[in-house]
Amino acid sequence: MLNKIIAEESIQKAKKLIDKNDKIVIVTHVSPDGDAIGSSLALYHFLTELGKQVNVIVPNEFPRFLNWMVDAGEIILGDRSPEIAQETIEAAELIFCLDFNDLKRISQLESIVREAHGKKVMIDHHPSPENFCDLTISHPEISSTSELIFRFICRMGMFEYVDKPCAECIYAGMMTDTGAFTYNSNSPAIYYIIGELLEKGINKDDIHSKVYDSCSKYRVRLQGFILHEKMQLFEEYKTSLITLSLEEHKKFNPQKGDTEGFVNIPLSIENIVFSAFIREEKDMVRLSFRSRGNFPANQFAGEIFNGGGHLNASGGEFYGNLEDAIALFKAALPRYKHLLI
Ligand code: 5GP
Ligand code: MN
């Protein structure tokens, strides 16, 4: 049996909202990852099984290694179809906000969702949720939003409405937010849930393969390049830094999501506890941070780059050039030395 994490009052409130409303929109964060798309499509499949009219809307493109999820092709991309996204959000009676804690995280959809008339429900696992929803289900102690979706459905007593595509999406989200169950994954509940998902007919080995063994040859070559040419180690700070300019990336046929996971690799080096990946995008610089143990990657991201996230996985944005972002990163390290060593 699963321990009860979500408050009973929240479950009852959410159940009523689902019963009463038919037009439902699910939104998730910009540059959606496996957990964002997995939790959103899982909830979509569940609500569709209930006979609801459901749309998943994301601010921008998601990595192609998630395309195999059933109905991934139905997801509305806010940057490609801004009018449809806006009209659909405005027409929704109920809006689920999944895998983000602050409306800033949905980029250009922020004001549309903020002003939308539909009731809003957040289901998320990032610390310090912004108070913009009618119902906030926030559990930073849970390693993925997809796990929360499983718990949410079960607690409503509707596990029978979890079909195989829904179970596949939940599994994929749980898997990607724990690095295939290599971090944040010591809770026995995770393996109980996986057992339940297997009973629904998922093939976990196949899902792992679809997500992790579908790299283009360009990505694998890019990985070789960044590790050989672009990784700097600051051993006195137990820190690694990888940087990538647009010019460098261009040589490797850039695709959405093709740098995902690179930031984790330097943590496999003995004595490295903090890893940063700073990459230039069209009009800005994006940063990803990972840490081992107690080093607060989210605090670093928040204080230095106005970002956030979890203790061991965080990110931020920098509006300036790549060199300035790198200089800011390097200059900040001495201030965190006491936490790094
Ligand atoms: P990633 O490195 O995979 O892009 O991001 C890791 C985690 O950091 C995400 O799951 C998210 O929680 C957080 N994150 C990434 N970028 C940002 C950002 O710009 N702002 C905030 N608040 N969190 C971010
Ligand atoms: Mn997540």
Side-chain angles (χ1 to χ4, degrees), residues 125-340:
H125 68 141
H126 294 90
S128 317
E130 184 193 350
N131 185 18
F132 69 93
C133 284
D134 299 280
L135 172 60
T136 299
I137 298 176
S138 167
H139 288 274
E141 77 279 18
I142 298 296
S143 59
S144 65
T145 299
S146 298
E147 176 179 337
L148 283 173
I149 293 296
F150 179 94
R151 290 173 171 276
F152 176 66
I153 296 172
C154 285
R155 286 287 302 288
M156 288 193 296
M158 296 203 256
F159 186 57
E160 70 202 81
Y161 293 95
V162 173
D163 58 6
K164 188 176 163 196
C166 175
E168 288 173 338
C169 293
I170 291 174
Y171 183 78
M174 291 173 67
M175 180 184 77
T176 50
D177 255 22
T178 57
F181 308 104
T182 58
Y183 48 80
N184 287 338
S185 53
N186 279 328
S187 149
I190 291 175
Y191 304 94
Y192 172 83
I193 294 171
I194 293 173
E196 296 289 316
L197 299 174
L198 288 165
E199 295 284 356
K200 292 281 180 184
I202 69 161
N203 181 336
K204 63 178 264 309
D205 302 348
D206 192 39
I207 293 172
H208 185 282
S209 186
K210 281 175 178 150
V211 170
Y212 294 112
D213 305 332
S214 62
C215 300
S216 71
K217 59 190 173 200
Y218 303 103
R219 179 190 144 108
V220 177
R221 289 194 195 284
L222 176 61
Q223 181 170 336
F225 169 72
I226 59 143
L227 293 178
H228 191 255
E229 307 283 332
K230 303 297 301 180
M231 184 179 74
Q232 301 173 61
L233 297 178
F234 304 94
E235 289 178 46
E236 70 275 34
Y237 300 117
K238 299 189 172 178
T239 292
S240 162
L241 169 64
I242 297 169
T243 65
L244 185 66
S245 70
L246 269 178
E247 204 51 38
E248 290 163 333
H249 198 176
K250 239 199 285 182
K251 294 179 196 140
F252 296 89
N253 188 25
Q255 304 270 321
K256 186 78 187 173
D258 64 356
T259 57
E260 197 131 330
F262 288 170
V263 65
N264 293 298
I265 301 171
L267 290 182
S268 65
I269 301 170
E270 196 177 22
N271 285 325
I272 294 296
V273 299
F274 185 39
S275 170
F277 180 30
I278 308 184
R279 60 197 179 280
E280 186 181 26
E281 296 200 347
K282 223 170 88 210
D283 304 310
M284 46 101 77
V285 175
R286 194 172 288 284
L287 300 100
S288 287
F289 304 107
R290 297 292 183 270
S291 68
R292 284 198 288 164
N294 294 328
F295 183 73
N298 50 0
Q299 186 188 331
F300 187 95
E303 289 174 354
I304 310 300
F305 290 101
N306 199 24
H310 312 278
L311 184 76
N312 296 129
S314 68
E317 294 170 351
F318 180 80
Y319 291 87
N321 66 38
L322 181 63
E323 285 65 37
D324 289 346
I326 295 170
L328 185 58
F329 173 81
K330 288 184 184 167
L333 281 182
R335 278 196 273 146
Y336 290 84
K337 191 168 182 176
H338 63 291
L339 296 170
L340 283 162

Side-chain angles (χ1 to χ4, degrees), residues 8-58:
E8 185 57 30
E9 193 192 336
S10 301
I11 295 289
Q12 292 312 326
K13 201 169 163 184
K15 201 162 185 241
K16 271 195 203 123
L17 286 171
I18 292 172
D19 284 345
K20 273 210 299 214
N21 297 295
D22 286 325
K23 267 192 210 159
I24 304 179
V25 157
I26 299 165
V27 288
T28 191
H29 62 78
V30 68
S31 296
D33 57 9
D35 187 34
I37 297 295
S39 59
S40 296
L41 280 178
L43 185 62
Y44 158 95
H45 287 300
F46 165 71
L47 294 170
T48 304
E49 279 292 294
L50 293 184
K52 304 291 175 181
Q53 186 190 323
V54 197
N55 284 289
V56 177
I57 303 180
V58 302

